[in-house]
Each structure stands twice: as C-alpha cells, then as structure tokens.
Amino acid sequence: MAAMSTSKKRKRELDDTQRVSFALSDQPPKQLGPVLAKPVVPRPLANFPSVKPTKSTSFKCYKTQTQKPTTDNEEMPFVETPMLIAGETEAVDFYSSEETRRSSLGSRYLVGVHNKRTGITTLRAAPLHIFTHEVKALKGLQPAAVSTLQRLEARAALGETFGTKKAKLAIRAQERNKVDVSAMEGVADHLQESILKNTSTLPSKEEAKANADSTRLVPQYDTDALNPNDIYPLHNMIPKPEWKALSISNYMSAGGGAERVALLPFKRSHWINDHLALAFASPSPNKTTIKMLIYISTMIAFHKATFKTINKDVIQQKLPMVPSVVIDGLLSRFTETARGSVAARRTSEKGTMLLTHMFALCLHVDDFATDTSVLAADLSMEPAKVNVLFKSLGCKINKLTQSDLKRLGLPDSAGEVKRAILKTPLEFPKPRMRRRT
C-alpha cells in the first residue's frame, strides 16, 4: 500500500512538471494599448504610494516622446518606451510622476500571464510607474504671500518657545532696538532738510576727482594723450635749462664701457650700466637716451646724498661732473625749507616726487615697459614699494605678451618677468575702500 501511494505521488509530480512551463513573450512593442486592455497586451506596472483610486477608475497610456531607432528595422523595447499614464475621478487627477524612471534603475519588473488551456505562463518585461495625485479643487489656488515682518514675528515666536536662554535674550534685545517708524513721521522733513544743508558744501564727483588728480605725487601728465610718450612729456621731468646743461661729449669720446661708467654720477646701478652699454652698442647711439640715462644717474646719486642731511656744497663735491644748474633744480623741486629755517630737508612727499619723476624717465628709456626688480635692487628698496610707485604713475604690473616682446625686440624668456607697463588711456589706481569694523 505504501509502495502504491509513493508511485502515485511521483506520477503526480511528473504530471505537474509537464503541465507548467514558462515562455518569454514575442509580441511586438507597437501593440501597446491602454492599461486596462486585454490580458495578452503588455501592461505597465503601477504603484500608488498615497491616495489609491477606485477599481472603476479608468486610465489611459500616452507616448511622451518619439525616439528614432538605431536602424530602420529595429524597434524600441516596450520597457524603454517613454510614456505617461493618466486617469481621473470627480475630485482627483492621477498621473505617473518623475520618480517613474528613477525607481526602475538597478531592477527589472516582469508581468506573467498564465494560460490554463496550454499550461504556459508568458513573461514580459514591463515598466514600473509611480503615481502622484492632484486635487482638482486646489489647482487654481495660489499660496498666501508672507511679508518680511510676518516671517520675523514667526521666527521670534519660535525662538521664545523653543530657543535657548541666549537666543531669547537676543530676541528681546532686538525688540528693544526696533525703530518705531510712525513716531518719526513728524521729524522726517526736518531730517531731510538738515541732510541737504550739511551735504550742500560737499564737492561733486568731478570736483573730487579733479582735486585728487591735482594732489598726485607724480609729474605733470596729460590724461587725453593718445600715445604713452605724450602722457609724461620729457621736459616735465627734466626742465629745458637743465636739459641743455647736460653734456654727452665725454661719453661719446670715451674709449669703452668702463670709461663711460666712470663718468656717471652714480656708478653702481646695474640698470643704468646695462642700458648705457646697450645704447652705445648701436652704430649711431641715441643722444636723447644717453642724456636721460645721465640724468637718471644724477637723480639716484641725489637720492643717496640727501638721505640724512642736505648741504649743497657737499652734494656738489660728491657730484663734480654734474652742472650746478642741475643741482639747483633738484634742490628746488625735491626739497623744502621749514618756516623760520634756512636748512633744506627732504620730506616723504618730496622723496616720492623724486622717485616718480625718476621712474617716468625710466619708462621713456624702456619704451614704457620697465623691469622694476632691477631698479629696486639699485635703490635698495623692496620691489613691492617700487611697484606701488609705478602703479601711481598709471602702470600695470604684468608679463609682456607676444606682441609686446616682438615690439620691444626681446626674447621669449623675457616674457616670464613682470614689468611696469604704461598704456593709453591713462588710468590711475582707484582708492581702496576701508572695511568697516
């Protein structure tokens, strides 16, 4: 009896296996229909996270966009077809949300249809749609506008209820410091008249700019110049009587570079010595450039000689090759005499004027692109301070472009060094705004 039951059980298991089988659907994707179509038609899966519709609610399926297949005979898989499913009741609209695509990432969903007659369960991939809803009665309503005062009041109420002791003290202090606008209505006109009266004497923007330009510690300049050579004319730095007094005959007849350097008022300037050698390397030396180099050397020597005390006789002894008219001109323009005294002294303003006049001449020699690091070493000054003075002349501290290198006849390696470059139109640096503390 036991053997007979065992054999029947095995026979049943064998029959069940033969009756149940699975197959993948080969139905073309273009047979897509509504969600509630016949069972053989592929259907998307739907998920309602919040409000669920009644069973009698009908839905429709729409293609949202059309994508061309890679080949003419290839069709887009049903699960990848972009679609929108929508339905409605008397009070609520249902439609698939933007979460639909993101919810299917990393997973696949299959729909199985079992045929009892053949015993075959057909499987087909189907997309998952997550639905959202919208109440029809609330579609036309706009949220009520909230003013800044209401926000502050709500924030203060939250702070008083849930805030710390320190936060509550801050809220009360803010309430005490609040200005009552209604109490100031009577004095508003008086305050406005007082402000207008006190500001009537203030200079205009144009007057303030003109006043600032007139007090700049730089040589006289032309803001309308179209060429850098005309911004600071040569004789604004070297007066004509002093220019005529300079003689270059000894430099032209010197036997070599060492003899020319020995004639200079200041002999330890690498910038002047290099430029002087470069000027005489030409078959026909530029006499204007040579005169400017001699005057710049005189200004450096004068700068060194007037560091502490100023005595005209001592300066003349230290600079025997410099004409006396040049010494007198430097003393009159770059020193001043205190009231009730006959001794000359060099103030910080006069010292700055001397350096800016010198640097303006250096720009003329360098075709308005000067290497400030060499001058800083010659003057025993920090490069940053020298750059500030060049910027006060309207220069920009930048590297030379390829067009500038070609114009100046410099190698490509010179483009790695930052230089003080003067261009038109002339622009002075704007004053820095102080931060409030």
Side-chain angles (χ1 to χ4, degrees), residues 141-259:
L141 297 180
Q142 296 293 335
V146 181
S147 64
T148 305
L149 180 60
Q150 290 174 330
R151 293 180 185 274
L152 293 176
E153 291 177 351
R155 185 177 178 181
L158 285 173
E160 288 288 350
T161 306
F162 303 104
T164 61
K165 184 178 180 181
K166 184 177 181 181
K168 293 178 180 179
L169 290 175
I171 293 172
R172 293 177 189 135
Q174 188 176 8
E175 289 291 334
R176 288 194 300 268
N177 295 332
K178 187 182 296 185
V179 177
D180 187 2
V181 180
S182 60
M184 299 184 64
E185 292 179 355
V187 297
D189 295 338
H190 176 72
L191 289 175
Q192 188 173 3
E193 292 178 0
S194 178
I195 292 172
L196 292 174
K197 181 179 179 181
N198 293 331
T199 56
S200 60
T201 57
L202 294 177
S204 63
K205 186 177 180 181
E206 292 75 14
E207 293 174 347
K209 182 178 180 301
N211 184 43
D213 291 343
S214 63
T215 56
R216 295 185 186 277
L217 300 178
V218 297
Q220 292 183 1
Y221 53 87
D222 182 7
T223 55
D224 299 326
L226 301 178
N227 192 298
N229 193 54
D230 299 328
I231 296 177
Y232 297 103
L234 175 62
H235 293 300
N236 286 359
M237 285 80 71
I238 309 177
K240 290 183 179 181
E242 299 178 28
W243 179 262
K244 293 179 180 180
L246 293 175
S247 175
I248 62 171
S249 58
N250 293 335
Y251 294 88
M252 301 296 292
S253 61
E259 293 184 14

Side-chain angles (χ1 to χ4, degrees), residues 328-389:
D328 292 339
L330 293 175
L331 287 171
S332 62
R333 284 182 292 144
F334 304 115
T335 62
E336 62 183 29
T337 303
R339 183 179 299 177
S341 175
V342 295
R345 61 190 181 95
R346 191 183 76 185
T347 60
S348 59
E349 291 81 6
K350 293 295 184 179
T352 300
M353 287 286 287
L354 174 64
L355 292 174
T356 54
H357 279 67
M358 182 196 310
F359 293 157
L361 288 174
C362 294
L363 289 170
H364 276 269
V365 174
D366 279 328
D367 203 1
F368 305 97
T370 299
D371 185 355
T372 60
S373 59
V374 181
L375 280 173
D378 291 344
L379 295 169
S380 302
M381 295 177 61
E382 296 180 3
K385 292 184 178 179
V386 175
N387 289 340
V388 169
L389 292 175

